[in-house]
Amino acid sequence: RDDMQFLTWEHPMVTGAIQRVLDRDQGKASVALLKNPSVPAGTLLVECLHVLEPLAPRELQAGRYLPPVLIRTLTDAHGKDLSHAISHNGLSRQCHKLDKPIARKVIDSQKDKLRELLAQDEARVEEQAREHIDQALTSLRAEQQHEIDRLRALQEKNPAIRDAEIEHLRHRSEALEAHVREAPCRLEGVRVIVAGEK
């Protein structure tokens, strides 16, 4: 296989394989048992990981203004956000794997509550995503306007700079702004955590 030495991270086969793994839903949800004496047995927690990322043509380079952002939430059964109080790594150290039959029973018994919590979580994440998008739009508008103003100033001294170039930059800026403004926030992972006895 002489062709193997030409494989790089940018090779279409490699990027395609990575994309296939990322696009699958398998492995994006789990159920865990929390063993912590300070948490009452039966307490339900839901941890969600969302990724905010603009879907824009590569040539627009939207990632310069809004690179992929990971938004983590951790809510209890009452919908209270605990993500700032409990870190992901700290929580993971106290979580243990549950057997599939028990995990299924937990999900079946809490199905309605989980739907409600996930709906609340989605609304909370949309607010956080909007903050990131607004910051990105502010930066984008300032930089693009500066570039347009620079071209206009150069045009006054250099007639070789055509109006079409400035118009192209303006259209590009509008397209970029539209893609960043509509950046989706997708759910990448869910962990349902049930507290057990120490």
Side-chain angles (χ1 to χ4, degrees):
R1 298 293 306 270
D2 295 339
D3 58 322
M4 294 298 282
Q5 60 188 310
F6 296 107
L7 286 180
T8 64
W9 286 109
E10 291 80 26
H11 192 283
M13 193 168 83
V14 176
T15 56
I18 291 171
Q19 199 58 47
R20 284 194 69 181
V21 171
L22 293 176
D23 288 345
R24 295 176 67 189
D25 289 333
Q26 188 174 2
K28 292 190 176 183
S30 66
V31 182
L33 177 68
L34 174 65
K35 291 187 177 179
N36 187 319
S38 62
V39 180
T43 300
L44 178 72
L45 300 171
V46 179
E47 184 179 37
C48 296
L49 299 174
H50 296 78
V51 174
L52 173 66
E53 185 177 20
L55 299 176
R58 188 175 291 179
E59 62 269 14
L60 289 179
Q61 298 179 346
R64 284 175 55 200
Y65 306 101
L66 184 62
V69 178
L70 179 69
I71 301 175
R72 171 186 174 258
T73 58
L74 177 67
T75 54
D76 63 10
H78 305 293
K80 184 180 176 185
D81 186 11
L82 305 171
S83 54
H84 297 295
I86 306 169
S87 71
H88 173 76
N89 292 335
L91 187 63
S92 295
R93 283 193 291 270
Q94 300 175 54
C95 285
H96 304 274
K97 185 179 177 183
L98 267 179
D99 294 330
K100 276 188 179 179
I102 299 172
R104 285 197 183 103
K105 285 180 183 176
V106 169
I107 296 299
D108 288 341
S109 66
Q110 301 293 327
K111 197 179 293 182
D112 293 335
K113 190 65 180 172
L114 289 172
R115 282 198 186 101
E116 181 187 330
L117 290 173
L118 288 173
Q120 290 175 12
D121 182 71
E122 192 174 330
R124 184 180 291 121
V125 166
E126 283 298 321
E127 287 180 23
Q128 293 182 41
R130 183 50 49 196
E131 291 175 14
H132 289 287
I133 288 171
D134 289 343
Q135 289 174 5
L137 286 173
T138 301
S139 172
L140 184 157
R141 287 171 185 147
E143 188 175 313
Q144 294 296 311
Q145 189 59 50
H146 174 74
E147 196 61 29
I148 290 169
D149 292 343
R150 188 183 68 83
L151 271 183
R152 283 184 179 143
L154 282 173
Q155 188 183 41
E156 291 176 6
K157 297 179 181 180
N158 184 358
I161 296 174
R162 296 169 292 129
D163 288 337
E165 292 179 55
I166 298 172
E167 195 64 20
H168 171 72
L169 184 57
R170 194 176 62 77
H171 284 302
R172 188 177 182 279
S173 299
E174 288 173 359
L176 188 55
E177 187 173 329
H179 283 293
V180 170
R181 190 187 302 113
E182 299 301 322
C185 193
R186 65 183 184 275
L187 180 61
E188 281 294 316
V190 179
R191 178 163 61 169
V192 177
I193 302 162
V194 180
E197 296 179 0
K198 181 73 176 171

